[in-house]
Structures are given as structure tokens and as C-alpha cells.
């Protein structure tokens, strides 16, 4: 479960406390949290709660350089027990050999530190668009990705997914190391897909999620769980009714939608083993 998603989630008309969030996440069947490195003052509290509720912990990083990555890895090692780092590399205008070199450096640094790094497919970062990310996959053998295709669906205004787009997206899915669950309709980054996932774009995302899981399973032997992260952003990322005002009145319910995504992912995962 994304810790970002838990921002502003309420129960009994009040925000959940820190431990209530942990309790709700574990109670709902999630086995980990994807969040942010706690401050030194909060580190012990987080370690204790993660241990108490039996949750794994992965973190997000926003480096611009190899030096930034070195600094972040040092802090991650100090905290301890980080399962992986999800990196949004904040250099959207760096392309070509310079971008390839930076990605390769970050991958090597994470390997040396013993903490895997997965580069997220995300607007406004080094993976700004679909074509350049396909190029990175073709050029960098050990590049592993956090797949969030909502960004490419939106950036490409994919109201319909063409055969050409599908072929390119499938190339990226061969490098899947984690998935972020969010659905775009090609015009908004994040939409409510309905109580049972009735939105027609949900079928495309289900196909991509299954393809990513399949590639991950067939790639190498794995001794760790596959990270499928329900990541729905709070306002103003989420669509709101008061767009002209404080942008806090959401159209959808992030918690129930997250539970739907988790249920969908578990069903897809189970279906892949039913015939084995």
C-alpha cells in the first residue's frame, strides 16, 4: 500500500492516526508499505510499527544525480530493512547517452549497496515519454522498472490503445520489477474505475498488470514477493469537485478503490497458477 495514498484518508469523520493507518493496511491484507524514508526522529517509531504489523517497507527516491543516489542509499542503509527503492529520476530533459549513463550509474550504486532500485515510468522524469524509455530498455541490460502506465496513457491521450502503442508498452513490461496501480482514462491521470472496476480502461490495465507479473515470474528465480503497489494520489492529484477552490472534495474513494485494485491483482496472480 502506498503511504502517499493514505494521506487524508478518514474513518469516523476524522483522519486516521499513524498507527491506525498501519492497522488498516495490515487488516486489509496488504503485506507492505511503499513510502518515504522517515526522519531520524521518527525512525524508531516506524521500525517498531513495521515489525509489530509484519509489514515490509520500500521507499521512494527523487535523485537528480549519482551523488544524490549515493546520499539516499546511505540513509536507506542506516534505516535498514528497505526492500527496494522506487526512483523517480528528476532529470526530464536529460536524454541520449547522458541519460543512459546516469541510469547505469544509479543501477550500479544500488547493486553495490545491496538495495534494488527500480526506475519508475513517470512524467516529468528521465522516463518522461514512452519512446525514450523503450530506448533505455534496449540499451541498458540491467534496467529494472516500476511500471505505472497511467503516465503514458495520459501523455499519449490513449483514449484507445493502438497496436503500435501496445507493442511499445509490452517492451517495457519485459523489465517489470514492480507495478503501481492507478488507472488513467487518457485525459485525467487518475480516475475512479467504479465499484467493480466497470471502467473500460480497467481492462487494458488488467492486461498490462498480468503481462508484467508474467515477465517477472519467468525472468529469474525469485525468493521475494512481487511488489504490486496501490497508489492513488490525494488531492490535488485526485479529481475534486471544488477545482476552483481548496481542491479537497474528492470524486472517488481512494481507500475502497485501493482495496479493489488489491483484490484484482490477487485474482490475476492466482489465475496465473490455476493451470499449473
Amino acid at each position: 500500500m502506498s503511504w502517499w495514498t493514505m494521506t487524508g484518508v478518514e474513518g469516523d469523520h476524522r483522519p486516521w492516526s499513524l498507527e491506525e493507518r498501519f492497522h488498516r493496511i495490515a487488516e486489509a491484507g496488504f503485506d507492505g508499505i511503499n513510502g518515504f524514508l522517515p526522519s531520524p526522529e521518527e525512525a524508531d517509531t516506524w521500525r517498531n510499527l513495521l515489525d509489530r504489523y509484519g509489514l515490509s517497507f520500500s521507499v521512494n527516491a527523487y535523485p537528480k544525480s549519482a551523488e544524490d543516489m549515493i546520499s539516499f542509499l546511505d540513509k536507506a542503509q542506516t534505516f535498514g530493512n528497505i526492500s527496494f527503492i522506487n526512483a523517480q529520476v528528476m532529470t526530464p530533459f536529460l536524454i541520449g547517452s547522458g541519460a543512459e549513463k546516469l541510469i547505469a550509474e544509479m543501477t550500479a550504486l544500488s547493486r553495490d549497496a545491496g538495495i534494488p532500485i527500480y526506475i519508475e515510468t513517470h512524467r516529468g522524469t528521465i522516463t518522461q515519454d514512452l519512446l525514450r524509455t523503450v530506448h533505455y530498455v534496449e540499451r541498458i541490460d540491467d534496467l529494472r522498472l516500476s511500471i505505472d502506465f497511467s503516465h503514458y496513457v495520459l501523455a499519449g491521450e490513449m483514449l484507445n490503445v493502438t497496436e503500435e502503442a501496445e507493442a511499445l508498452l509490452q517492451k517495457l513490461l519485459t523489465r517489470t520489477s514492480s507495478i503501481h496501480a492507478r488507472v488513467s482514462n487518457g485525459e485525467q491521470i487518475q480516475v475512479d474505475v467504479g465499484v467493480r472496476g466497470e471502467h473500460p480502461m480497467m481492462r487494458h490495465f488488467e492486461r498490462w498488470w498480468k503481462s508484467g507479473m508474467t515477465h517477472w515470474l519467468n525472468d529469474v528465480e525469485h525468493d521475494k514477493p512481487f511488489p504490486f503497489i496501490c497508489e492513488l494520489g490525494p488531492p490535488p492529484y485526485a479529481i475534486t469537485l471544488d477545482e476552483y477552490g481548496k481542491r479537497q472534495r474528492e470524486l472517488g474513494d481512494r481507500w475502497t478503490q485501493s482495496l479493489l485494485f488489491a483484490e484484482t491483482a490477487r485474482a490475476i496472480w492466482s489465475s496465473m497458477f490455476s493451470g499449473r
Side-chain angles (χ1 to χ4, degrees), residues 3 11 15 54 125 139 142 157 190 197 214 229 269:
W3 194 252
T125 74
R139 299 276 295 182
D142 56 354
E157 202 170 11
Q190 174 179 303
T214 301
I229 300 164
W269 186 263

Side-chain angles (χ1 to χ4, degrees), residues 1 30 178-181 209 213 226-230 261-262 264-265 268:
M1 184 64 175
F30 294 101
S178 71
I179 288 175
H180 287 192
W209 295 345
M213 292 176 186
F226 176 75
F228 184 93
I229 300 164
C230 299
F261 287 163
T264 300
I268 293 171

Side-chain angles (χ1 to χ4, degrees), residues 5 7 10 19 30 33 40 47 49 55 61 78 85 94 102 137 178 180 195 222 230 242 245 247:
T5 298
T7 303
E10 296 186 350
E19 182 160 1
F30 294 101
I33 290 173
R47 291 189 192 99
L49 288 170
L55 297 169
T78 298
I85 294 170
L94 181 64
L102 179 56
V137 164
S178 71
H180 287 192
V195 176
H222 297 285
C230 299
D242 59 337
R247 299 176 71 185

